[in-house]
Amino acid sequence: MIRLVGITKRYGETEALRDVSLEIKKGDVFAIIGSSGAGKTTLLRIISMLETDYSGEYYLNDIDVRKNQEDLRKRITMVFQKPVMFNTSVFDNVAYGLRIRGLSSREVESRVNSVLELVGLYELRKKNAKKLSGGEQQRVALARALVLETEVLVLDEPTANLDAGNVQMIEAIIKEITDDGVTVVMATHNLFQAKRLANMVAYLNSGELVEVGSVKQIFESPEKEMTKRFIMGETYF
Amino acid sequence: MTWEYVLKGIEGAFEMIASLDVEVADIALRSIKVSGIATLMAAIIGIPTGVALGISTFRGRNVLRSFFNGMLGIPTVVMGLILYLILAPAGPLGSLKLLYTEMGISFGQMLLILPIVVSFTASSIESVEREIRELALTLGASRAEATLKVIREASAGVLLAVIAAFNRAIAELGIALMVGGNIFVRGGALNTRVLTTSIQMYVARGDIDIAIALGMILLGIVFVITTVSNFLQSRWVLK
Amino acid sequence: MKRVLVAILLIVFVISIAWVLQVQHQNQTRVLTISTTTSLYDTGLLEEAIAPAFKEKYGIELHFIPKGTGAAIQDAKNGASDAIMVHARSKEVKFMEEGYGVNRKIFAYNFFVIVGPPEDPAEIKGLSPVEALKKIAEAGRSGKAIWVSRDDGSGTNTKEKALWKMAGFDYVEVKEENWFRRTGTGMGATLNYANNVGGYTLSDTGTYLKFRKDGLISLEALVDKGEELINIYAIIIVNPEKFQKDFEGAILLAKWLTSREGQKIIGQFGVDQYDKPLFFPIVSVLEKKEEPIYDWILRYGLIEDGDKLTECPQRYRYQSSLTFFEVNQT
């Protein structure tokens, strides 16, 4: 479904990503692990087509993304690490993407309400989203992306800085949708989370892709020494 | 002695308002009208400019931004003097016949407050620009739709910019005096006396209590406008 | 997007309406813009007495722009006004010499006063103006008195400079001394300052009487006699060859100011409030040759023109129905 070939991204002198190639299949829950500054977010932003200035090739369903950016962007949506809220009600936040797509107001209402039920925010739908707690905002952000029913969902550290209750709730939601066959690409520094949710894992270090494999392979018998050290270090910690 | 003035002034202000003193009402309304028009003009020129500066990244943007920032604090007397020389019949724009007219004051105040509208609009756009644009884009918006969303999200800040601009316009003296001339003829259609110029005139004439009363009215206008805008803004956020 | 467009159109509409209305008023109303001095303006004579009467008679609105005499002349030079009403002969002559002004008419006079604290530390009460200034300078240099000057190029300031010269002082030098304070502002503010520091100053009668009556100052008029203190107001019309202004209207005003009706209004202004006039009509003095004022006006208000003294020399007259006072020099 997603194929990246030799992606290199520079910010001035520094290389955020160097020659990254990988493939993500339909229905995968693909976790990108690595310490902070490894380039996880940059990679996700390229996949989400928010970053356009890079070298290399990117195909979505064999269509060249670099030539069709504007059309293809509607097929992928990303949930940012730090939730950004529009200064409107929870309902209007979630409805935004649907309205952009020109859905009828009846359809918007029913889809938004059902997603809000899913993330447990139906009661708060009339409240201004900026007045919610961090955990609630992260759930709004998730609902806002889910409601679009895009082919690919990109999540950047979906549970960073949240309390245990919210982490559990959000992980349960992710679990539920991935069971429905949605393709998910997520970045996380939490190895347990990757283990719990993903079927594929990629280890990124200093902008270079070290190893890609199934959860089982990466966590139980990594090929590279570097991957092993990262897994061990994190696990002991 | 000073306190006596203030008390007498407050008393006088209430008396003037209670008795609906025609002359005072005329002057106060002219202040609102002249500065209101200045604010409207500054808004239709300044908001698009501010939005453009806040959104785009063209070459020279920073120069323009610092230019408008620098103009924020320009002394009104300097502005008044420059405008006087430009608008005087012997000056480059003398043929517009704006010197010593209401529209002349509006025009001058517009130039005075334009930097406020531009800079505040640009900063409120900038403060939401990146986050909101990317959010809108990833939710499927086109580039134009994302820009529109950015502007909408910044609108509370833009409202604040416009209110701040109006308050500066109505409270300034230099332009109203030098370009307006504080003209007053009973029943005249071309008067230019506004609150600030009449305050300075009454001070010069030694009628301190009237000056203070007019000052109270000016403060009242600014206070009401600010309160209303705060209310609107809180509604905006809380909705 | 639509709403934004509607809002913009609405705003443009409102602004254009305001502009059109103003232009319409400008075209409908005949207006004379007169740059004038603060001492005339701040008493209220112009706006409360002259403007309403003139408007009633001719339907012309008078717009007065109060500035110091220097600034008022500058205003006219910028083409902003139809005429000036000022009180500084030397500057008036220069204004006409440069070709900006024509047809000078004198229309009122009063007296400057030297005011000071009631204790009068320099002991000037009853002295002649020149003697008084000498005493004040003496007391000032020994730290007993303060002189407050407007130093703003106004008519009052011009008179003050002339008085210092008569007393044998160079204004440029004396103003740097530490007993000599400069406010650089209008008469009212200067009186307030002099009152606060217990200083002496030169004031026009109108402003002084008003401030005194309103209880704003406790300064007393210590020297109010002497021909040197005479203060003569003149109107000068902007040269129609310099700027396209309402020359005819300005002529009308100059004529009316020196007419029986205008002179009466000037002479009566302020009598109700202050029990004495703030300004005196000048025409009757010239006609009846009332001494000693007549002589003082000749000396301080007229201009030499060959072997004659006149309010406006021949070369500064511009075709009009005005007549000018002339007298042979003796």
Side-chain angles (χ1 to χ4, degrees):
Chain A
M1 172 157 232
I2 289 173
R3 190 153 58 88
L4 300 177
V5 185
I7 300 284
T8 298
K9 167 71 190 169
R10 291 169 184 283
Y11 291 109
E13 293 290 292
T14 55
E15 276 182 333
L17 291 175
R18 188 169 335 118
D19 197 20
V20 173
S21 300
L22 56 80
E23 202 160 332
I24 299 169
K25 294 203 181 59
K26 191 167 165 53
D28 269 352
V29 177
F30 196 101
I32 300 164
I33 59 171
S35 45
S36 58
K40 300 191 295 285
T41 300
T42 306
L43 185 56
L44 292 188
R45 286 170 53 80
I46 288 171
I47 293 174
S48 308
M49 301 173 207
L50 290 173
E51 204 67 68
T52 54
D53 184 23
Y54 56 88
S55 62
E57 290 160 55
Y58 174 10
Y59 299 96
L60 181 67
N61 294 334
D62 292 326
I63 307 169
D64 188 347
V65 168
R66 309 211 62 179
K67 288 181 182 142
N68 302 282
Q69 204 115 237
E70 279 290 306
D71 305 327
L72 293 175
R73 207 175 45 231
K74 276 194 167 67
R75 300 203 190 174
I76 294 189
T77 189
M78 175 169 171
V79 177
F80 305 129
Q81 174 172 1
K82 174 178 162 266
V84 177
M85 295 291 112
F86 293 136
N87 189 11
T88 52
S89 68
V90 169
F91 184 94
D92 286 338
N93 260 273
V94 178
Y96 178 76
L98 294 179
R99 288 178 178 150
I100 285 285
R101 285 167 172 77
L103 269 63
S104 74
S105 59
R106 269 234 322 270
E107 199 165 349
V108 170
E109 194 167 343
S110 76
R111 272 170 74 171
V112 170
N113 283 343
S114 70
V115 170
L116 285 178
E117 299 258 21
L118 176 70
V119 299
L121 288 173
Y122 183 74
E123 303 300 323
L124 296 177
R125 68 188 184 285
K126 285 185 178 149
K127 231 182 145 184
N128 184 295
K130 290 207 163 183
K131 303 280 167 198
L132 301 181
S133 72
E136 287 165 340
Q137 289 196 359
Q138 192 57 271
R139 273 145 63 197
V140 171
L142 195 58
R144 204 163 47 188
L146 288 178
V147 78
L148 303 175
E149 296 174 5
T150 49
E151 294 166 50
V152 182
L153 186 62
V154 177
L155 307 172
D156 190 3
E157 301 279 2
T159 59
N161 310 320
L162 294 184
D163 58 89
N166 267 306
V167 171
Q168 219 169 32
M169 189 160 185
I170 284 172
E171 283 192 6
I173 297 166
I174 296 172
K175 199 100 189 152
E176 198 174 326
I177 55 162
T178 53
D179 286 348
D180 290 346
V182 177
T183 309
V184 172
V185 184
M186 62 185 287
T188 182
H189 65 270
N190 181 338
L191 295 177
F192 296 111
Q193 189 171 54
K195 229 170 177 173
R196 281 196 296 272
L197 296 174
N199 66 329
M200 294 292 289
V201 177
Y203 171 47
L204 204 56
N205 182 50
S206 305
E208 278 184 273
L209 194 62
V210 179
E211 192 170 352
V212 186
S214 67
V215 181
K216 203 168 146 78
Q217 183 200 328
I218 295 289
F219 283 98
E220 288 172 16
S221 53
E223 275 174 17
K224 300 269 170 63
E225 192 56 29
M226 222 179 195
T227 315
K228 199 173 193 169
R229 277 216 305 273
F230 181 70
I231 304 283
M232 298 300 278
E234 286 279 332
T235 314
Y236 285 132
F237 188 78
Chain B
M1 175 122 167
T2 319
W3 273 113
E4 247 169 65
Y5 281 142
V6 176
L7 289 177
K8 252 170 87 183
I10 295 172
E11 209 184 295
F14 279 112
E15 265 171 33
M16 282 179 189
I17 295 165
S19 66
L20 274 173
D21 188 307
V22 184
E23 238 166 72
V24 171
D26 182 55
I27 291 168
L29 286 177
R30 183 169 307 107
S31 260
I32 295 173
K33 177 184 158 194
V34 163
S35 301
I37 287 179
T39 309
L40 289 179
M41 288 198 280
I44 54 172
I45 299 170
I47 294 175
T49 312
V51 168
L53 284 179
I55 284 177
S56 56
T57 48
F58 62 90
R59 198 184 282 263
R61 191 199 84 103
N62 283 335
V63 178
L64 269 177
R65 278 289 271 137
S66 2
F67 169 75
F68 281 112
N69 277 337
M71 296 291 283
L72 279 177
I74 188 170
T76 62
V77 280
V78 174
M79 198 75 188
L81 181 59
I82 294 170
L83 282 162
Y84 167 79
L85 293 173
I86 292 173
L87 295 179
L93 291 182
S95 54
L96 292 178
K97 292 191 175 173
L98 284 174
L99 189 64
Y100 301 144
T101 64
E102 280 182 4
M103 285 309 278
I105 309 177
S106 292
F107 176 71
Q109 290 184 341
M110 182 270 279
L111 290 182
L112 176 76
I113 61 180
L114 192 60
I116 298 180
V117 177
V118 172
S119 282
F120 284 24
T121 301
S123 347
S124 64
I125 294 273
E126 278 160 9
S127 72
V128 300
E129 151 71 12
R130 206 185 130 93
E131 287 187 340
I132 295 292
R133 171 178 298 279
E134 296 205 329
L135 176 56
L137 285 177
T138 200
L139 292 177
S142 66
R143 301 215 163 262
E145 285 165 334
T147 301
L148 209 64
K149 190 67 182 167
V150 167
I151 296 169
R152 193 157 295 169
E153 287 293 310
S155 55
V158 175
L159 175 76
L160 197 69
V162 172
I163 296 299
F166 176 81
N167 285 347
R168 167 126 159 119
I170 200 169
E172 74 82 32
L173 170 66
I175 293 167
L177 195 61
M178 283 196 247
V179 178
N182 191 35
I183 291 164
F184 189 83
V185 179
R186 207 154 283 128
L190 292 166
N191 293 346
T192 59
R193 182 168 298 168
V194 293
L195 285 170
T196 50
T197 59
S198 58
I199 288 169
Q200 82 85 35
M201 179 191 77
Y202 283 118
V203 169
R205 290 185 179 182
D207 298 325
I208 309 285
D209 46 343
I210 303 179
I212 288 179
L214 290 166
M216 296 284 165
I217 293 173
L218 179 58
L219 274 179
I221 292 172
V222 169
F223 179 76
V224 167
I225 299 270
T226 309
T227 310
V228 168
S229 84
N230 279 345
F231 173 73
L232 276 179
Q233 220 184 0
S234 67
R235 279 279 306 260
W236 217 308
V237 177
L238 285 170
K239 190 158 84 177
Chain C
M1 209 60 205
K2 231 181 218 163
R3 270 191 302 181
V4 173
L5 216 66
V6 170
I8 290 175
L9 283 178
L10 210 69
I11 291 172
V12 171
F13 182 71
V14 167
I15 294 168
S16 348
I17 288 281
W19 194 308
V20 167
L21 279 180
Q22 175 176 307
V23 171
Q24 230 172 40
H25 284 311
Q26 274 174 327
N27 292 340
Q28 275 169 6
T29 320
R30 192 164 174 194
V31 171
L32 284 180
T33 304
I34 315 290
S35 300
T36 183
T37 117
T38 44
S39 60
L40 268 177
Y41 184 82
D42 280 343
T43 56
L45 168 72
L46 301 179
E47 284 188 342
E48 284 160 31
I50 289 179
F54 191 70
K55 188 179 180 189
E56 195 175 326
K57 181 132 190 182
Y58 297 104
I60 300 176
E61 266 188 24
L62 295 181
H63 287 181
F64 293 105
I65 314 292
K67 308 195 166 185
T69 293
I73 286 174
Q74 195 56 48
D75 214 24
K77 281 188 183 178
N78 286 327
S81 38
D82 300 280
I84 58 173
M85 286 163 76
V86 293
H87 62 150
R89 187 178 55 179
S90 57
K91 291 188 172 176
E92 292 163 24
V93 170
K94 189 155 172 278
F95 179 63
M96 292 192 287
E97 225 165 59
E98 290 169 347
Y100 288 99
V102 294
N103 295 354
R104 174 180 184 266
K105 290 286 287 176
I106 52 176
F107 63 89
Y109 73 93
N110 61 12
F111 290 91
F112 288 109
V113 282
I114 296 176
V115 300
E119 313 83 59
D120 189 16
E123 295 172 352
I124 62 164
K125 195 173 172 74
L127 294 179
S128 80
V130 169
E131 284 305 312
L133 285 192
K134 282 182 183 161
K135 280 269 206 175
I136 289 168
E138 198 179 302
R141 282 173 179 163
S142 55
K144 279 184 279 187
I146 292 169
W147 176 259
V148 182
S149 169
R150 281 176 63 177
D151 197 32
D152 62 348
S154 61
T156 308
N157 185 230
T158 307
K159 172 64 83 175
E160 182 199 334
K161 287 178 191 168
L163 288 175
W164 280 114
K165 199 173 168 193
M166 281 186 242
F169 292 91
D170 183 346
Y171 181 79
V172 178
E173 277 171 20
V174 81
K175 78 176 183 180
E176 301 299 335
E177 294 183 25
N178 65 358
W179 52 274
F180 199 106
R181 309 276 172 86
R182 292 170 286 161
T183 62
T185 165
M187 197 66 251
T190 303
L191 281 171
N192 267 333
Y193 180 79
N195 190 57
N196 286 343
V197 299
Y200 294 91
T201 191
L202 181 73
S203 172
D204 64 285
T205 331
T207 315
Y208 167 71
L209 281 180
K210 182 160 173 18
F211 270 60
R212 174 77 200 207
K213 176 156 187 288
D214 293 348
L216 293 166
I217 51 173
S218 58
L219 299 174
E220 275 183 16
L222 299 168
V223 176
D224 56 1
K225 289 188 184 67
E227 56 182 294
E228 301 95 326
L229 291 178
I230 194 164
N231 180 23
I232 295 165
Y233 290 95
I235 178 169
I236 303 177
I237 292 155
V238 168
N239 188 346
E241 283 172 10
K242 277 277 180 197
F243 297 107
Q244 285 266 313
K245 308 300 290 186
D246 189 350
F247 180 70
E248 293 306 320
I251 294 285
L252 222 50
L253 175 63
K255 231 177 185 173
W256 180 81
L257 280 175
T258 48
S259 73
R260 198 175 296 262
E261 186 188 352
Q263 291 283 296
K264 196 174 153 200
I265 286 174
I266 291 169
Q268 279 174 349
F269 181 76
V271 174
D272 295 346
Q273 258 185 304
Y274 306 103
D275 302 322
K276 50 179 160 179
L278 299 183
F279 301 92
F280 300 99
I282 214 165
V283 177
S284 61
V285 180
L286 295 177
E287 280 169 355
K288 293 176 194 158
K289 299 190 172 17
E290 284 168 20
E291 292 293 357
I293 310 285
Y294 176 74
D295 194 45
W296 297 351
I297 291 173
L298 293 197
R299 211 165 314 154
Y300 291 94
L302 298 188
I303 303 165
E304 276 187 36
D305 187 16
D307 55 354
K308 284 178 181 161
L309 277 176
T310 174
E311 52 186 339
C312 183
Q314 202 76 41
R315 58 188 181 281
Y316 304 139
R317 294 180 198 174
Y318 195 90
Q319 61 213 57
S320 76
S321 53
L322 287 173
T323 53
F324 297 93
F325 179 79
E326 288 182 344
V327 62
N328 284 324
Q329 245 174 331
T330 44

